[in-house]
Amino acid sequence: MPLSLDELRAQVAADTVDTVVVAIADMQGRLQGKRIDATHFLNEVVAHGTEGCNYLLAVDVEMNTVEGYQISSWDRGYGDFVMVPDFGTLRRIPWQPGTAMLLADVQWLDGSPVVESPRQILRRQLDRLAERGWLASVGTELEFIVFEDSYESAWQQRYAGLTPANQYNADYSILATSRIEPLLRAIRLGMRGAGMQVESAKGECNLGQHEIAFKYDDALATCDNHVIYKTGAKEIAAQHGSSVTFMAKYNEREGNSCHIHLSLRTPDGEPVFAGDRPGGVSELFEQFVAGQLAGLRELSYFFAPNINSYKRFQPGSFAPTAVQWGVDNRTCAIRAVGHGSSLRFENRLPGGDVNPYLAVAAMIAAGLHGVDNGLSPGEPLAGNAYTGDAPRVPATLRAAAELWQGSEIARAAFGDAVVEHYANTARVELAAFDAAVTDWERIRSFERM
């Protein structure tokens, strides 16, 4: 459960907590950091933070040092930055004995912020909302696939030929989900113990695919919970001898989505999306949705950050292919949901591999672009967005990266340093992909060519 520093001190004194995990979210949305002796944490880290190599925001997914980053390189000596604890995120981690965790922001040694940090990028966009008197509420819906294989055996099999936890489409099936309820229950209870409000668990369409849903929260809190949950689910699965994957498209069946819901309110809790326009929406809601449509293609890199991400975008797959919006229309990229105080929009582009801080930051930036330019979204689509002549979602990471680097919306909202930093991340990934020789190539070419 959430902890105050005084409560942590009491638990350390009682020897019920001996370890504090201090973590940051890296560019891929993974937790990186240290396990710190609890007494040392209280005596030193509380006042001064802890340091880590600044390459944590300048490596590829396999932690290889790569060229092209301004903030960290061999020429700059791969020095440190400071992990500054956010004590509002302090909590017990029930699935790890004697352990508490908190998230940190990163600063340079002179105290200036590392603006390329995903959490800092989101904080800046939340500040832009606050300047107008608005707060963002966000919910993320992560899907994952459960395999009976351990992570170690999956590695040895090159992640092929794994046994899914369900052998048929288990969407909404109580019978099918009951077969792995011990694991799902352990994850739910673990997250509840870590201070998250669990709503439900359900089966999904791919074999072994499931979703655990959480109640919406303030945008930063939701993204913090998202990355802790994602790490915790993997840790708990490993404890059960299983493995889970959040990759966007594991196989040719249904991919793992991460739909993101967003609404705005005033500091006293009044919704600002509801209004007296057709459909019960406000002009602000229409402008915010229009901004999503205007920025969707050029900001898609923050919604779909990997080569594999783009394989979800197939017609008839419940993953979007067209830049369209509709009311409760799951064929559209942007779906309006709810009414009155629950009115919100859902971005259906992100997959399970998304970095939530970057995606939510992009949604806010796009929305403010729509507001500042008085954009209109046009009429909501009532039909099938997979057909028609609407602009298409980028089909590849290469296309998305080109749009990102040339995006005026991104540069105005995030600054050139952030745009170039993440453009380099895309270049690194594409270069590795271009150089790789895959199993697919060997199977097709070894004998036949």
Side-chain angles (χ1 to χ4, degrees), residues 338-396:
H339 60 277
S341 62
S342 70
L343 179 64
R344 61 200 185 277
F345 69 88
E346 173 192 55
N347 184 335
R348 296 180 61 81
L349 255 73
D353 59 344
V354 73
N355 183 323
Y357 301 99
L358 301 181
V360 174
M363 290 166 69
I364 294 170
L368 291 178
H369 172 77
V371 172
D372 290 344
N373 290 277
L375 301 183
S376 171
E379 292 298 314
L381 181 72
N384 182 359
Y386 291 116
T387 62
D389 56 1
R392 299 285 106 180
V393 172
T396 65

Coordinates of all heavy atoms in Angstrom, one line a residue, residues 338-396:
G338 N -18.6 7.3 -23.1 CA -19.3 7.9 -21.9 C -20.1 9.1 -22.2 O -20.2 9.6 -23.3
H339 N -20.6 9.7 -21.1 CA -21.3 10.9 -21.2 C -21.3 11.6 -19.9 O -20.9 11.0 -18.8 CB -22.8 10.6 -21.5 CG -23.5 9.7 -20.5 ND1 -23.4 8.4 -20.5 CD2 -24.3 10.1 -19.5 CE1 -24.1 7.9 -19.5 NE2 -24.6 8.9 -18.9
G340 N -21.6 12.9 -19.9 CA -21.5 13.7 -18.7 C -20.1 13.7 -18.0 O -19.1 13.9 -18.7
S341 N -20.1 13.4 -16.7 CA -18.8 13.4 -16.0 C -17.9 12.3 -16.5 O -16.7 12.4 -16.2 CB -19.0 13.3 -14.5 OG -19.7 12.1 -14.2
S342 N -18.4 11.3 -17.1 CA -17.6 10.2 -17.6 C -17.1 10.3 -19.1 O -16.5 9.4 -19.6 CB -18.3 8.8 -17.4 OG -19.4 8.7 -18.4
L343 N -17.5 11.4 -19.7 CA -17.1 11.6 -21.1 C -15.6 11.7 -21.3 O -15.0 12.4 -20.6 CB -17.8 12.9 -21.7 CG -17.5 13.2 -23.1 CD1 -18.1 12.1 -24.0 CD2 -18.0 14.6 -23.5
R344 N -15.1 10.9 -22.2 CA -13.7 10.9 -22.5 C -13.5 10.4 -23.9 O -14.4 10.0 -24.6 CB -13.0 9.9 -21.5 CG -13.5 8.5 -21.6 CD -13.2 7.6 -20.4 NE -13.6 6.2 -20.5 CZ -14.8 5.7 -20.3 NH1 -15.8 6.6 -20.0 NH2 -15.1 4.5 -20.5
F345 N -12.2 10.4 -24.3 CA -11.9 9.8 -25.6 C -10.8 8.7 -25.4 O -10.1 8.8 -24.4 CB -11.5 10.8 -26.7 CG -10.1 11.4 -26.4 CD1 -9.0 10.8 -26.9 CD2 -10.0 12.6 -25.8 CE1 -7.7 11.4 -26.7 CE2 -8.8 13.2 -25.5 CZ -7.7 12.6 -26.0
E346 N -10.8 7.7 -26.2 CA -9.9 6.6 -26.2 C -9.0 6.6 -27.4 O -9.5 6.7 -28.5 CB -10.7 5.3 -26.1 CG -9.9 4.0 -26.2 CD -10.8 2.8 -26.4 OE1 -11.6 2.8 -27.4 OE2 -10.7 1.8 -25.6
N347 N -7.7 6.6 -27.2 CA -6.8 6.4 -28.3 C -6.5 4.9 -28.4 O -6.0 4.3 -27.5 CB -5.5 7.2 -28.0 CG -4.5 7.2 -29.1 OD1 -4.5 6.3 -30.0 ND2 -3.6 8.1 -29.2
R348 N -6.8 4.4 -29.6 CA -6.7 2.9 -29.8 C -5.5 2.5 -30.5 O -5.3 1.3 -30.8 CB -8.0 2.4 -30.6 CG -9.3 2.6 -29.8 CD -10.5 2.1 -30.5 NE -10.5 0.7 -30.8 CZ -10.8 -0.3 -29.9 NH1 -11.1 0.0 -28.7 NH2 -10.7 -1.5 -30.3
L349 N -4.6 3.5 -30.8 CA -3.3 3.1 -31.5 C -2.4 2.3 -30.6 O -1.8 1.3 -31.1 CB -2.6 4.4 -32.0 CG -2.7 4.6 -33.5 CD1 -4.1 5.1 -33.9 CD2 -1.7 5.7 -33.9
P350 N -2.1 2.7 -29.4 CA -1.0 2.1 -28.6 C -1.2 0.6 -28.4 O -2.3 0.1 -28.2 CB -1.0 2.8 -27.3 CG -1.7 4.1 -27.6 CD -2.7 3.8 -28.6
G351 N -0.1 -0.1 -28.5 CA 0.0 -1.5 -28.1 C 0.6 -1.7 -26.8 O 1.0 -0.8 -26.1
G352 N 0.7 -3.0 -26.4 CA 1.2 -3.3 -25.1 C 2.7 -2.9 -24.8 O 3.2 -2.9 -23.7
D353 N 3.4 -2.6 -25.9 CA 4.8 -2.1 -25.8 C 4.9 -0.6 -25.6 O 6.1 -0.1 -25.6 CB 5.5 -2.6 -27.1 CG 4.9 -2.0 -28.4 OD1 3.8 -1.5 -28.3 OD2 5.6 -2.0 -29.4
V354 N 3.8 0.1 -25.5 CA 3.9 1.6 -25.4 C 4.5 2.0 -24.1 O 4.4 1.4 -23.1 CB 2.5 2.2 -25.6 CG1 1.7 2.0 -24.3 CG2 2.6 3.6 -26.0
N355 N 5.3 3.2 -24.2 CA 5.7 3.9 -23.0 C 4.6 4.8 -22.6 O 4.3 5.8 -23.4 CB 7.0 4.7 -23.3 CG 7.5 5.4 -22.1 OD1 6.8 5.9 -21.3 ND2 8.9 5.4 -22.0
P356 N 3.9 4.6 -21.5 CA 2.7 5.4 -21.2 C 3.0 6.9 -21.0 O 2.1 7.7 -21.4 CB 2.2 4.8 -19.9 CG 3.4 4.2 -19.3 CD 4.2 3.7 -20.4
Y357 N 4.1 7.2 -20.5 CA 4.4 8.6 -20.3 C 4.5 9.4 -21.6 O 4.0 10.5 -21.7 CB 5.8 8.8 -19.6 CG 5.9 8.1 -18.2 CD1 6.5 6.9 -18.1 CD2 5.4 8.8 -17.1 CE1 6.6 6.3 -16.8 CE2 5.5 8.2 -15.8 CZ 6.1 6.9 -15.7 OH 6.2 6.3 -14.5
L358 N 5.1 8.8 -22.6 CA 5.3 9.4 -23.9 C 3.9 9.5 -24.6 O 3.6 10.5 -25.3 CB 6.3 8.7 -24.7 CG 7.7 8.6 -24.1 CD1 8.7 7.9 -25.0 CD2 8.3 10.0 -23.8
A359 N 3.2 8.4 -24.5 CA 1.9 8.4 -25.2 C 0.9 9.4 -24.7 O 0.3 10.1 -25.4 CB 1.3 7.0 -25.2
V360 N 0.8 9.5 -23.4 CA -0.1 10.4 -22.7 C 0.4 11.9 -23.0 O -0.4 12.8 -23.3 CB -0.3 10.2 -21.2 CG1 -1.1 11.3 -20.6 CG2 -0.9 8.8 -21.0
A361 N 1.7 12.1 -23.0 CA 2.2 13.4 -23.3 C 1.9 13.8 -24.7 O 1.5 14.9 -25.0 CB 3.8 13.4 -23.1
A362 N 1.9 12.8 -25.7 CA 1.6 13.1 -27.1 C 0.1 13.4 -27.2 O -0.3 14.3 -28.0 CB 2.0 11.9 -27.9
M363 N -0.8 12.7 -26.4 CA -2.2 13.0 -26.5 C -2.5 14.4 -26.0 O -3.4 15.1 -26.6 CB -2.9 11.9 -25.7 CG -2.9 10.5 -26.3 SD -3.4 9.2 -25.2 CE -5.2 9.6 -25.0
I364 N -1.9 14.8 -24.9 CA -2.1 16.1 -24.4 C -1.6 17.2 -25.4 O -2.2 18.2 -25.7 CB -1.4 16.3 -23.0 CG1 -2.1 15.4 -22.0 CG2 -1.4 17.8 -22.6 CD1 -1.3 15.3 -20.7
A365 N -0.4 17.0 -25.9 CA 0.2 17.9 -26.9 C -0.7 18.1 -28.1 O -1.0 19.2 -28.6 CB 1.6 17.4 -27.3
A366 N -1.2 16.9 -28.6 CA -2.1 17.0 -29.8 C -3.4 17.7 -29.4 O -3.9 18.6 -30.2 CB -2.5 15.6 -30.2
G367 N -4.0 17.4 -28.2 CA -5.2 18.1 -27.8 C -5.0 19.6 -27.7 O -5.9 20.4 -28.1
L368 N -3.9 20.1 -27.1 CA -3.7 21.5 -26.9 C -3.5 22.1 -28.3 O -3.8 23.3 -28.5 CB -2.5 21.7 -26.0 CG -2.8 21.4 -24.5 CD1 -1.5 21.6 -23.7 CD2 -3.9 22.2 -24.0
H369 N -2.9 21.4 -29.2 CA -2.7 21.9 -30.6 C -4.1 22.2 -31.2 O -4.4 23.2 -31.8 CB -2.0 20.9 -31.4 CG -2.0 21.3 -32.9 ND1 -1.2 22.2 -33.5 CD2 -2.7 20.7 -34.0 CE1 -1.4 22.3 -34.8 NE2 -2.3 21.4 -35.1
G370 N -5.1 21.3 -30.9 CA -6.4 21.5 -31.4 C -7.1 22.6 -30.8 O -7.8 23.4 -31.5
V371 N -6.9 22.8 -29.5 CA -7.5 23.9 -28.8 C -6.9 25.3 -29.3 O -7.7 26.2 -29.6 CB -7.3 23.8 -27.3 CG1 -7.8 25.0 -26.5 CG2 -8.1 22.5 -26.8
D372 N -5.6 25.3 -29.3 CA -5.0 26.6 -29.7 C -5.3 27.0 -31.1 O -5.2 28.2 -31.4 CB -3.5 26.5 -29.5 CG -3.0 26.3 -28.1 OD1 -3.9 26.7 -27.2 OD2 -1.9 25.9 -27.8
N373 N -5.6 26.1 -32.0 CA -5.9 26.4 -33.3 C -7.4 26.4 -33.7 O -7.8 26.5 -34.9 CB -5.1 25.5 -34.3 CG -3.6 25.8 -34.2 OD1 -3.1 26.7 -34.9 ND2 -2.9 25.0 -33.4
G374 N -8.2 26.2 -32.7 CA -9.7 26.1 -32.9 C -10.1 25.1 -33.9 O -11.0 25.4 -34.7
L375 N -9.5 23.9 -33.9 CA -9.8 22.9 -34.9 C -11.2 22.2 -34.6 O -11.6 22.2 -33.5 CB -8.7 21.8 -34.9 CG -7.3 22.3 -35.2 CD1 -6.3 21.1 -35.2 CD2 -7.2 23.1 -36.5
S376 N -11.7 21.7 -35.7 CA -13.0 21.0 -35.6 C -12.7 19.5 -36.1 O -12.0 19.4 -37.1 CB -14.1 21.6 -36.5 OG -15.2 20.8 -36.6
P377 N -13.3 18.5 -35.4 CA -13.0 17.2 -35.8 C -13.9 16.7 -37.0 O -13.7 15.6 -37.5 CB -13.3 16.4 -34.6 CG -14.4 17.1 -33.9 CD -14.1 18.6 -34.2
G378 N -14.9 17.5 -37.4 CA -15.9 17.0 -38.3 C -16.8 16.0 -37.7 O -16.8 15.8 -36.5
E379 N -17.7 15.5 -38.5 CA -18.8 14.6 -37.9 C -18.1 13.3 -37.5 O -17.3 12.8 -38.2 CB -19.9 14.4 -39.0 CG -20.7 15.6 -39.3 CD -21.4 16.1 -38.0 OE1 -22.0 15.2 -37.3 OE2 -21.4 17.3 -37.8
P380 N -18.6 12.7 -36.4 CA -18.1 11.4 -36.1 C -18.5 10.3 -37.1 O -19.6 10.4 -37.7 CB -18.7 11.1 -34.7 CG -19.9 12.0 -34.7 CD -19.6 13.2 -35.5
L381 N -17.6 9.3 -37.3 CA -17.9 8.3 -38.3 C -18.8 7.2 -37.6 O -18.5 6.7 -36.5 CB -16.6 7.6 -38.7 CG -16.8 6.5 -39.7 CD1 -17.2 7.1 -41.1 CD2 -15.5 5.7 -39.9
A382 N -19.9 6.9 -38.3 CA -20.8 5.9 -37.8 C -20.6 4.5 -38.4 O -21.1 3.5 -37.9 CB -22.3 6.3 -38.0
G383 N -19.8 4.5 -39.4 CA -19.6 3.2 -40.1 C -18.3 2.5 -39.9 O -17.7 2.7 -38.8
N384 N -17.8 1.9 -40.9 CA -16.6 1.1 -40.8 C -15.3 1.9 -41.2 O -15.2 2.2 -42.4 CB -16.7 -0.2 -41.7 CG -15.5 -1.1 -41.6 OD1 -14.6 -0.9 -40.9 ND2 -15.6 -2.2 -42.3
A385 N -14.5 2.2 -40.2 CA -13.3 3.0 -40.5 C -12.3 2.3 -41.3 O -11.3 2.9 -41.9 CB -12.7 3.6 -39.2
Y386 N -12.4 1.0 -41.4 CA -11.4 0.2 -42.2 C -11.6 0.4 -43.7 O -10.7 0.1 -44.5 CB -11.5 -1.3 -41.8 CG -11.0 -1.6 -40.4 CD1 -11.9 -2.2 -39.5 CD2 -9.7 -1.4 -40.1 CE1 -11.4 -2.5 -38.2 CE2 -9.2 -1.7 -38.8 CZ -10.1 -2.2 -37.9 OH -9.7 -2.5 -36.6
T387 N -12.7 0.9 -44.1 CA -13.0 1.2 -45.5 C -13.0 2.8 -45.6 O -13.0 3.5 -44.6 CB -14.3 0.6 -45.9 OG1 -15.4 1.2 -45.2 CG2 -14.3 -0.9 -45.8
G388 N -13.0 3.2 -46.8 CA -13.0 4.7 -47.1 C -11.7 5.2 -47.4 O -10.7 4.5 -47.5
D389 N -11.6 6.5 -47.6 CA -10.4 7.2 -48.0 C -9.8 8.1 -47.0 O -9.1 9.0 -47.4 CB -10.7 8.0 -49.3 CG -11.8 9.0 -49.1 OD1 -12.4 9.1 -48.0 OD2 -12.2 9.7 -50.1
A390 N -10.1 7.9 -45.7 CA -9.4 8.7 -44.7 C -7.9 8.5 -44.7 O -7.5 7.4 -45.1 CB -10.0 8.4 -43.3
P391 N -7.1 9.5 -44.2 CA -5.7 9.2 -44.1 C -5.4 8.0 -43.2 O -6.2 7.6 -42.3 CB -5.2 10.5 -43.4 CG -6.2 11.5 -43.7 CD -7.5 10.8 -43.8
R392 N -4.3 7.3 -43.5 CA -4.0 6.0 -42.9 C -3.0 6.3 -41.8 O -2.1 7.1 -41.8 CB -3.4 5.1 -43.9 CG -4.3 4.7 -45.1 CD -5.4 3.7 -44.6 NE -6.7 4.4 -44.6 CZ -7.8 3.7 -44.2 NH1 -7.8 2.5 -43.9 NH2 -8.9 4.4 -44.2
V393 N -3.1 5.4 -40.8 CA -2.1 5.3 -39.7 C -0.8 4.9 -40.4 O -0.8 4.0 -41.3 CB -2.5 4.3 -38.7 CG1 -1.4 4.0 -37.7 CG2 -3.8 4.8 -37.9
P394 N 0.4 5.4 -40.0 CA 1.6 4.9 -40.6 C 1.8 3.4 -40.5 O 1.4 2.8 -39.5 CB 2.7 5.6 -39.8 CG 2.1 6.9 -39.3 CD 0.6 6.5 -39.1
A395 N 2.2 2.8 -41.6 CA 2.2 1.3 -41.7 C 3.6 0.7 -41.2 O 3.7 -0.5 -41.0 CB 2.0 0.9 -43.1
T396 N 4.6 1.6 -41.0 CA 5.9 1.1 -40.6 C 6.5 2.1 -39.6 O 6.2 3.3 -39.6 CB 6.8 0.9 -41.8 OG1 7.1 2.2 -42.4 CG2 6.3 0.0 -42.8

